[in-house]
Amino acid sequence: MSSDGNKKQFWKRNAAKVPGSIQHVYGAQHPPFDPLLHANLIKAGNKPPPATPGKPKKATTFQEFESITSDAWDVGDDDDELLAMAAQNLNIEVVMETANKVIENHSKQQERQRQDDTTELEQREEDTQEEVAEDEEEDEEDEEDRVEEGDVTSPEVSFASQSSPYTDGRLVKSHSEAPIGSPKDAAGEHAALHRQRSLPHRPPVIPLVARMADQNTSGTPAMTEREASRLDKFKQLLAGPNTDLEELRKLSWSGIPRQVRPITWKLLSGYLPANAERRESVLQRKRQEYFGFIQQYYDSRNDEHHQDTYRQIHIDIPRTNPLIPLFQQASVQEIFERILFIWAIRHPASGYVQGINDLVTPFFVVYVFEYIEEEVENFDVSSLQEEALRNIEADSFWCMSKLLDGIQDNYTFAQPGIQRKVKALEELVSRIDESVHRHMQQYEVEYLQFAFRWMNNLLMRELPLRCTIRLWDTYQAEPEGFSHFHLYVCAAFLVRWRKEILEERDFQVM
């Protein structure tokens, strides 16, 4: 039997034995499969045989999918090589033909819209003129009737007893006095409407990191009464001599206000003690201990024993949230390198594994907010004092370490923790939504093929960072949030999009 035909069986037999191969395909170093790029590649040079008339297109199997994307199984560490290989197969004629069709269709759509706008505006102007004429005639008749009846005490202009909706509460004679607008205004309105509709639709831009307005800080928009009340509850709870951690978890489950998130995360992760008097001394001791590790171990990063670990960290750091300028600053990348290298040295059972680099970012962003008020995406960390940067680095290290203590088996040899969690997810989905589970079985979709990254990166590659931070509020509030509760969040993903999953019949797309 050919190696192509046995690829799926190889997965089932060796997934637990060859962690490198699993991580190589599903780890952080490769982007997810792009169906659009794959379709263009087939059009360009790898056209399948024509389908038999009258028969529906057969859905691709795992073997067919693997054979037409075999380059993704053997590619090296450099992602650019994969992109270059794909680009070589693109047919420029197909690309240009598609682009011309898009431009032509867009032009026709604009012309139809322009004609519709003109007709709509003309009809609206005619209706307005008819209404104005009718109102004036009615006003004149009413005034003549009042004069004939002797009601001459009222002024020449009779005011409506109710305010017009056009004047924000001011009284007007009739609709004819409402600010309808001159012909120039109407023409300007038409031009603006046309410009707006002729532009291509742009989806709303959602910031990757929460902005000040999203985090209930001072400024606009102001906090609602509910948000202000929640913030007061957090402050009262944190102000006591001994913080009730159980009550703090209950409050935090529904989200933590930005102002108190740093200290709340430190308390919930176990980094800080519940006793308020001891917190400052613990912070000083732990921060000094971390920088003692730096002095002791960081110079060994180029030693033969550690250089492979450091090299992999150095490669992965620029890939961490590449679209956020904050994480592309050299000083931030150096901080991340130190945090990850020291953690790897102190945890030889697992060492550094791709995916751990993502887990630093939520802590780093939250603890940066301890010292700034502006948006964090483009914030220049060099403007912070050196002591503040050192504190952020040490606090991020210890809180990430506390998180990883609960899921370290995700990153030991063969990554047994991830494989157990993927299996648990499969069992959970089979119980709560048997239709989805059977559908994926029918089309040979293995849970490991899509859920490995969900467990390895804790959904950080699937969600904007601002959403991850909010999700981690709840994870930290759960006793085993990052290990057990995370399974239910992953299952909720599948249930939420069950309709789209059940409608799909193609392995690649699923």
Side-chain angles (χ1 to χ4, degrees), residues 32 41 72 114 121 165 188 194 207 227 286 297 374 424 451 456 465 469:
L41 287 173
R114 187 181 302 112
L121 184 61
H194 171 67
E227 292 168 343
K286 299 298 284 185
Y297 297 117
E374 60 264 39
N456 192 60
L465 183 53
I469 291 173

Side-chain angles (χ1 to χ4, degrees), residues 190-204:
H190 169 65
L193 181 64
H194 171 67
R195 284 196 302 272
Q196 179 181 0
R197 293 186 175 179
S198 63
L199 290 174
H201 172 69
R202 293 183 180 180

Side-chain angles (χ1 to χ4, degrees), residues 19-20 56 84 119 123 153 185 201 267 341 347 359 396 401 429 468 486 496 499:
T119 304
Q123 182 63 39
T153 58
D185 295 335
H201 172 69
L267 286 166
F341 182 78
H347 297 82
L359 306 184
S396 299
S401 298
V429 174
T468 298
H486 179 68
R496 169 61 180 80
K499 180 176 179 290

Side-chain angles (χ1 to χ4, degrees), residues 202-227:
R202 293 183 180 180
V205 178
I206 301 176
L208 294 176
V209 183
R211 301 181 184 276
M212 292 175 62
D214 297 329
Q215 297 291 348
N216 304 332
T217 61
S218 57
T220 58
M223 285 191 296
T224 64
E225 291 185 6
R226 180 179 178 276
E227 292 168 343

Side-chain angles (χ1 to χ4, degrees), residues 52-65:
T52 303
K55 292 184 179 181
K57 177 185 174 183
K58 181 179 180 293
T60 56
T61 65
F62 180 89
Q63 288 83 1
E64 292 170 347
F65 164 69

Side-chain angles (χ1 to χ4, degrees), residues 126-283:
E126 291 177 2
D127 294 342
T128 302
Q129 291 174 0
E130 291 177 0
E131 291 178 3
V132 170
E134 291 175 0
D135 289 341
E136 289 178 348
E137 290 177 2
E138 291 177 1
D139 291 340
E140 290 175 358
E141 291 175 358
D142 291 342
E143 187 174 351
E144 291 174 358
D145 292 342
R146 283 194 299 272
V147 172
E148 290 176 358
E149 294 172 0
D151 183 11
V152 293
T153 58
S154 60
E156 181 180 0
V157 179
S158 75
F159 290 89
S161 60
Q162 296 181 352
S163 61
S164 167
Y166 296 102
T167 55
D168 299 328
R170 294 174 302 201
L171 299 176
V172 296
K173 174 182 176 182
S174 67
H175 290 297
S176 62
E177 285 193 333
I180 298 173
S182 64
K184 291 183 179 180
D185 295 335
E189 179 185 354
H190 169 65
L193 181 64
H194 171 67
R195 284 196 302 272
Q196 179 181 0
R197 293 186 175 179
S198 63
L199 290 174
H201 172 69
R202 293 183 180 180
V205 178
I206 301 176
L208 294 176
V209 183
R211 301 181 184 276
M212 292 175 62
D214 297 329
Q215 297 291 348
N216 304 332
T217 61
S218 57
T220 58
M223 285 191 296
T224 64
E225 291 185 6
R226 180 179 178 276
E227 292 168 343
S229 174
R230 279 180 54 77
L231 179 59
D232 289 340
K233 289 180 180 179
F234 272 95
K235 288 183 176 179
Q236 291 174 10
L237 188 60
L238 294 169
N242 287 285
T243 301
D244 185 343
L245 295 181
E246 190 61 34
E247 188 64 27
L248 186 61
R249 288 191 181 96
K250 291 179 181 178
L251 273 179
S252 302
W253 204 95
S254 299
I256 304 172
R258 189 202 67 84
Q259 297 92 326
V260 294
R261 181 174 279 134
I263 187 171
T264 302
W265 276 26
K266 292 172 187 176
L267 286 166
L268 294 179
S269 66
Y271 176 43
L272 284 184
N275 184 276
E277 293 182 355
R278 295 178 50 224
R279 289 174 192 166
E280 190 59 35
S281 61
V282 169
L283 276 177

